[in-house]
Amino acid sequence: MSKSLSYELGPVPVSNDSTGKISGDSQTDKADANYDNVQAVEDGQVTNTSSGDLHEGLHQKLKARHLVFISLGSVIGTGIFLGIGNSLKHAGPVGLVLAYTVMCSVVICVMECVGEMVTYLPVVGAHIRLSGRFIDPAISAAMAWNYWYCWAIIVAAEVSAVAVLVTYWTEAVPSAVWITISLVIILAANLCGPRVYAEIEFYMATIKVTTIIGLIILSIIIDAGGGPNGKKTGFQYWRNPGPFVQYQGVSGSTGRFLAFFSGLTGAAFASIGAEMLAIAAAETTNPRRLIPTALKATWIRIVLFYFCGAFVVSLIVASNDPRLGSASTAAASPYVIAITEAGIKVLPSIINAAILTSALSAGIGDCYTACRALHSMAGNGTAPKIFGRTTRWGSPYVAVITTWALGLLAYLGVKSSSSNVFNFLVNLTALSGIITWLCIGVSFVRFRKGLRAQNMSPKDLPYTSHLGVAGAWWIIGVILAVLLFSGWPVFRKGNWDTATFFGNYLPIGLFTLIFLFFKFWRKTKFVRASEMDLVSGVEEFERQHRQAEDERQAAGIGSRPWYQRIIA
């Protein structure tokens, strides 16, 4: 086993004392021991990981229904309700549908790749930690820090969105009040441990799923002329103003392709977070069974929420409607625009409430994801070991508080003089999110190469990707194109904008700098396929799986109807 691989699997930084209470001295001693082990591994001395170390102080509390709804609800946010309208405005109806079709295929590939790796090795940090085992520990460090600041800043964005959404009803209460209330809820939900977070996400995801399904059905009814005004729209908006928008006045097929590409970029930004399910693997009661079950829900959300959502939006609103992208409340949602035009009252307020719920739910989930990334970094020595401390109920409280503190950036949006800075920070997170997908694609290619080099077959894994290496290369190709060309408009003559340029390309620079820093500081080595660590922790994961299966059989869950098995 190469020392760089073992470095990524260092033992647990923290645990609780025998009394079940947080013990600072005990945790510090164990964290110090873990850090020493990491250093020993880096010096070529292999250490063993005990069964209790595998989860690094986190508790396995998440069940089937939690994972299914985290999978379904993790990507339903303001992007689907509001952002999709902006994509329609810039891409046109056909451009929008094509863009979301391509991005749906990428999301499916991402989930298939991460599902195969994480089901086999449900380690803390999931794909973040595994990238160090399959590529290079420096890649894992860069990916982890990129992932952390991306989702931590998005917490502030979602909190700010809550304050803006409330203005749909009233502006009498200062936005700072709503920001404060939202931040308190997010902190409380994440400090209470994984089970409380999962329960909150379960009910909020139910609201989001019900809302988006209801809107899709209602959109079809409106398109067919079932609204109070009786107006049928059919495919008329595909003909007038046309299937594509000539992007920024560029004529011909070039302008239409650029319109499609702008829609592709918007679809990518709206889809980040699809891999959030994998982060919860280490806190799942039986990941070998439940992760594949939750992955099946991926197809539902991709086809139903993304593709169907984009398709019906292209039918009910014209791409040149001036209300698209004109506000940050339900007033700019294409669904609300269509409902208002159809003469349906009251519903816009209900939809705004659902979008507000989505924003708050996303803030809670984003904080959960970011703090787990920070906790994982503490476990392998790429962040201070203090971030690995956990409470007796399995909450990495130091990581939670630190991550939550970045949510205070939401107050920058209160004053117009600070909003530009805040918006710039938010724009950075979009590309940071899809950099993770690129790393997942590369990790999977390396994982499969390691299997071949060590005479292991993918067919013997607990879950095998249906798309294989071809799916990983599709991720790499599409995401590289989006990353490299997302900021192309600034290079047009007379169109230079410094903020736009850095907003699109600074994440790539930051990722590269973090990688180089850890590469030279830790002197990490690229992992050879023949030396890839494909065994550490596997025996313990299999033991836990057998134990969970025995408990499941004893409880008679397997013989219950499918709907009872889902909520078990």
Side-chain angles (χ1 to χ4, degrees):
M1 186 188 301
S2 67
K3 65 181 182 179
S4 60
L5 286 169
S6 301
Y7 158 74
E8 280 302 307
L9 280 179
V12 176
V14 232
S15 64
N16 302 321
D17 61 20
S18 60
T19 65
K21 297 179 180 180
I22 302 171
S23 173
D25 294 337
S26 174
Q27 293 197 39
T28 301
D29 292 341
K30 292 181 180 179
D32 289 339
N34 174 67
Y35 189 76
D36 292 338
N37 284 333
V38 171
Q39 297 301 318
V41 170
E42 288 185 328
D43 293 334
Q45 303 171 26
V46 179
T47 60
N48 295 321
T49 304
S50 67
S51 62
D53 291 336
L54 285 175
H55 304 291
E56 304 186 7
L58 301 178
H59 293 183
Q60 293 178 286
K61 295 292 186 180
L62 306 188
K63 298 186 177 181
R65 64 186 177 90
H66 298 139
L67 282 189
V68 169
F69 276 85
I70 287 173
S71 174
L72 287 173
S74 61
V75 291
I76 302 177
T78 53
I80 288 182
F81 294 112
L82 297 176
I84 197 171
N86 206 41
S87 296
L88 174 63
K89 178 180 180 180
H90 292 293
V94 175
L96 174 72
V97 173
L98 290 177
Y100 268 79
T101 300
V102 171
M103 200 47 58
C104 283
S105 69
V106 172
V107 174
I108 289 172
C109 291
V110 167
M111 296 307 298
E112 286 286 302
C113 290
V114 79
E116 178 174 308
M117 296 187 293
V118 173
T119 303
Y120 177 60
L121 290 166
V123 297
V124 173
H127 47 278
I128 299 174
R129 188 76 67 87
L130 292 178
S131 64
R133 295 177 70 164
F134 303 153
I135 309 174
D136 189 314
I139 285 288
S140 177
M143 189 176 174
W145 281 106
N146 170 79
Y147 204 68
W148 175 73
Y149 85 74
C150 167
W151 290 107
I153 293 176
I154 291 179
V155 172
E158 297 293 355
V159 169
S160 180
V162 170
V164 174
L165 287 164
V166 174
T167 63
Y168 184 80
W169 298 299
T170 178
E171 297 183 14
V173 180
S175 59
V177 173
W178 303 115
I179 290 174
T180 302
I181 293 173
S182 301
L183 286 172
V184 170
I185 293 173
I186 290 172
L187 179 62
N190 279 275
L191 283 178
C192 289
R195 186 62 183 269
V196 173
Y197 156 74
E199 288 295 336
I200 292 173
E201 185 62 23
F202 172 78
Y203 291 108
M204 286 192 166
T206 302
I207 295 173
K208 292 190 287 185
V209 170
T210 303
T211 301
I212 192 65
I213 292 175
L215 286 175
I216 290 173
I217 295 173
L218 181 59
S219 297
I220 294 172
I221 294 173
I222 291 174
D223 182 66
N229 64 357
K231 179 183 177 181
K232 297 179 181 179
T233 56
F235 285 84
Q236 73 175 43
Y237 296 130
W238 287 38
R239 296 187 295 270
N240 182 27
F244 293 93
V245 172
Q246 297 298 140
Y247 192 75
Q248 292 194 358
V250 179
S251 60
S253 58
T254 302
R256 291 190 290 273
F257 172 79
L258 293 175
F260 155 74
F261 189 82
S262 71
L264 187 66
T265 305
F269 297 164
S271 307
I272 59 172
E275 75 294 336
M276 195 179 293
L277 168 69
I279 295 292
E283 296 174 270
T284 301
T285 54
N286 187 1
R288 289 282 174 88
R289 172 179 289 276
L290 301 185
I291 293 294
T293 299
L295 283 173
K296 294 177 182 178
T298 298
W299 298 87
I300 299 174
R301 77 182 187 202
I302 297 306
V303 174
L304 182 61
F305 303 154
Y306 280 130
F307 177 77
C308 291
F311 180 71
V312 297
V313 162
S314 73
L315 299 177
I316 58 177
V317 180
S319 59
N320 60 357
D321 193 301
R323 289 169 290 185
L324 290 173
S326 61
S328 298
T329 65
S333 169
Y335 296 107
V336 171
I337 292 172
I339 289 170
T340 302
E341 287 294 313
I344 303 174
K345 300 179 179 180
V346 180
L347 262 184
S349 287
I350 296 175
I351 294 171
N352 193 71
I355 298 174
L356 189 151
T357 302
S358 297
L360 184 58
S361 170
I364 295 172
D366 297 341
C367 186
Y368 172 87
T369 302
C371 71
R372 263 55 181 185
L374 188 56
H375 172 270
S376 173
M377 286 189 281
N380 61 21
T382 53
K385 54 184 177 290
I386 191 174
F387 294 119
R389 295 188 175 189
T390 59
T391 63
R392 65 176 181 270
W393 51 86
S395 173
Y397 66 99
V398 179
V400 168
I401 293 172
T402 304
T403 300
W404 173 85
L406 281 186
L408 299 175
L409 288 171
Y411 289 108
L412 285 174
V414 174
K415 293 184 178 180
S416 58
S417 58
S418 304
S419 60
N420 289 336
V421 177
F422 173 68
N423 290 333
F424 175 74
L425 291 173
V426 171
N427 289 337
L428 291 180
T429 65
L431 284 170
S432 297
I434 61 174
I435 286 175
T436 298
W437 291 359
L438 178 63
C439 293
I440 288 173
V442 176
S443 296
F444 186 82
V445 171
R446 295 292 304 155
F447 175 59
R448 281 295 184 90
K449 191 169 184 179
L451 291 177
R452 290 196 303 270
Q454 299 181 30
N455 297 317
M456 297 174 65
S457 172
K459 295 180 181 179
D460 296 328
L461 300 176
Y463 179 84
T464 304
S465 168
H466 298 83
L467 303 172
V469 178
W473 282 113
W474 177 243
I475 297 169
I476 295 169
V478 174
I479 298 305
L480 276 177
V482 174
L483 286 172
L484 295 177
F485 300 109
S486 62
W488 72 267
V490 301
F491 298 108
R492 295 184 65 197
K493 187 176 181 180
N495 207 37
W496 176 261
D497 183 79
T498 303
T500 301
F501 172 79
F502 280 103
N504 282 278
Y505 295 109
L506 186 58
I508 302 174
L510 287 174
F511 183 89
T512 304
L513 287 175
I514 297 171
F515 166 74
L516 293 175
F517 173 78
F518 280 94
K519 185 71 176 174
F520 289 106
W521 178 42
R522 291 288 191 185
K523 295 181 174 58
T524 62
K525 295 182 179 179
F526 179 76
V527 179
R528 296 178 181 272
S530 59
E531 299 175 348
M532 194 174 291
D533 181 9
L534 300 175
V535 297
S536 293
V538 171
E539 183 178 348
E540 177 60 22
F541 290 133
E542 289 179 347
R543 186 196 66 77
Q544 293 177 357
H545 172 65
R546 290 192 298 270
Q547 180 180 343
E549 287 295 289
D550 290 342
E551 293 174 355
R552 183 173 185 271
Q553 184 175 1
I557 295 176
S559 61
R560 298 177 187 177
W562 65 269
Y563 55 87
Q564 290 185 5
R565 293 200 302 270
I566 287 178
I567 65 174

